[in-house]
């Protein structure tokens, strides 16, 4: 499984070249809400299900990659080829990014598991429920992120990388995934 985590390119022409050349080899294309808006070409309300759904469909048709993932501080979603592995990967990626957000670089498996026991954000829960109505007949899933409003000094650098790093073990073949998965 090949995963590409997008970045906000300074040169839109370079973004098109990279995506066009690599898309035949990529299985999962992952972006955050800023990259979603950048690729969509306009600012959107990331809590408006209709706006996000339109942007997701537009980007999905442009990148021509089997699965599109978008992650934000309140929700994470996947569109396209959705498997049980993708659902598990979304959850694990979200938990890894949330753990980094609240603890920085110093955390372990017990911290990751503690993050998993935290309540979901209300905004993310509402958004996940509402946006699912925008995709009634399509392969789509959206999960709320954790409520981290209590964090006084968050770590925000590297959250996209943490998200993808948290996803990767869930995308391994089953025999390897079980050996690498946080418990």
């Amino acid at each position: 499984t090949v995963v590409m985590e997008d970045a906000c390119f300074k040169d839109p022409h370079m973004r098109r070249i990279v995506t066009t050349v690599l898309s035949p080899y990529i299985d999962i294309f992952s972006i955050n809400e800023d990259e979603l808006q950048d690729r969509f070409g306009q600012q959107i309300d990331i809590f408006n299900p209709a706006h996000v759904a339109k942007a997701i469909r537009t980007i999905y048709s442009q990148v021509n990659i089997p699965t599109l993932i978008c992650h934000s501080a309140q929700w994470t979603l996947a569109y396209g080829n959705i498997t049980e592995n993708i659902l598990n990967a979304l959850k694990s990626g979200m938990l890894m990014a949330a753990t980094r957000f609240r603890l920085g670089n110093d955390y372990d498996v017990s911290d990751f598991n503690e993050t998993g026991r935290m309540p979901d954000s209300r905004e993310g829960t509402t958004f996940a429920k509402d946006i699912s109505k925008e995709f009634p007949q399509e392969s789509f899933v959206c999960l709320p992120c954790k409520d981290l409003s209590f964090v006084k000094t968050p770590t925000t650098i590297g959250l996209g990388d943490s998200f993808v790093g948290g996803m990767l073990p869930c995308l391994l073949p089953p025999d390897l995934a079980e050996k690498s998965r946080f418990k």
Side-chain angles (χ1 to χ4, degrees):
T1 302
V2 178
V3 179
M4 178 179 172
E5 172 71 15
D6 196 22
C8 288
F9 285 84
K10 289 183 180 182
D11 179 355
H13 178 69
M14 183 58 72
R15 176 180 57 211
R16 284 189 297 278
I17 291 171
V18 169
T19 305
T20 301
V21 170
L22 295 179
S23 67
Y25 309 102
I26 299 170
D27 301 298
I28 299 170
F29 189 69
S30 176
I31 58 179
N32 66 29
E33 75 275 14
D34 295 328
E35 294 152 354
L36 175 73
Q37 294 175 86
D38 186 49
R39 282 188 172 267
F40 188 57
Q42 66 186 46
Q43 293 289 315
I44 61 171
D45 176 355
I46 66 159
F47 288 105
N48 182 310
H51 292 176
V52 174
K54 182 177 180 183
I56 290 294
R57 286 188 182 103
T58 299
I59 303 309
Y60 183 78
S61 70
Q62 291 172 351
V63 297
N64 195 29
I65 294 169
T67 305
L68 174 63
I69 288 178
C70 186
H71 49 92
S72 79
Q74 297 295 327
W75 48 261
T76 182
L77 61 80
Y79 179 70
N81 185 18
I82 308 298
T83 64
E84 184 177 335
N85 285 357
I86 295 293
L87 184 58
N88 291 334
L90 280 181
K91 182 178 180 184
S92 183
M94 177 271 296
L95 291 176
M96 186 67 75
T99 303
R100 177 176 173 79
F101 180 88
R102 70 184 188 89
L103 299 174
N105 294 326
D106 189 20
Y107 58 90
D108 61 21
V109 174
S110 65
D111 296 313
F112 177 89
N113 291 333
E114 182 181 335
T115 301
R117 292 187 295 273
M118 292 178 173
D120 295 336
S121 86
R122 286 186 182 146
E123 296 88 351
T125 300
T126 299
F127 178 84
K129 179 181 162 207
D130 292 346
I131 195 168
S132 295
K133 296 173 190 171
E134 297 287 329
F135 296 92
Q137 303 299 317
E138 297 168 85
S139 187
F140 173 84
V141 64
C142 183
L143 302 174
C145 292
K146 297 300 177 179
D147 180 358
L148 301 175
S149 59
F150 67 92
V151 178
K152 301 291 185 227
T153 55
T155 299
T156 58
I157 303 300
L159 294 179
D161 295 333
S162 295
F163 178 85
V164 172
M167 282 184 17
L168 293 178
C170 295
L171 300 173
L172 292 169
D175 58 323
L176 294 175
E178 191 56 36
K179 294 175 187 174
S180 67
R181 197 168 282 143
F182 278 162
K183 302 241 187 247

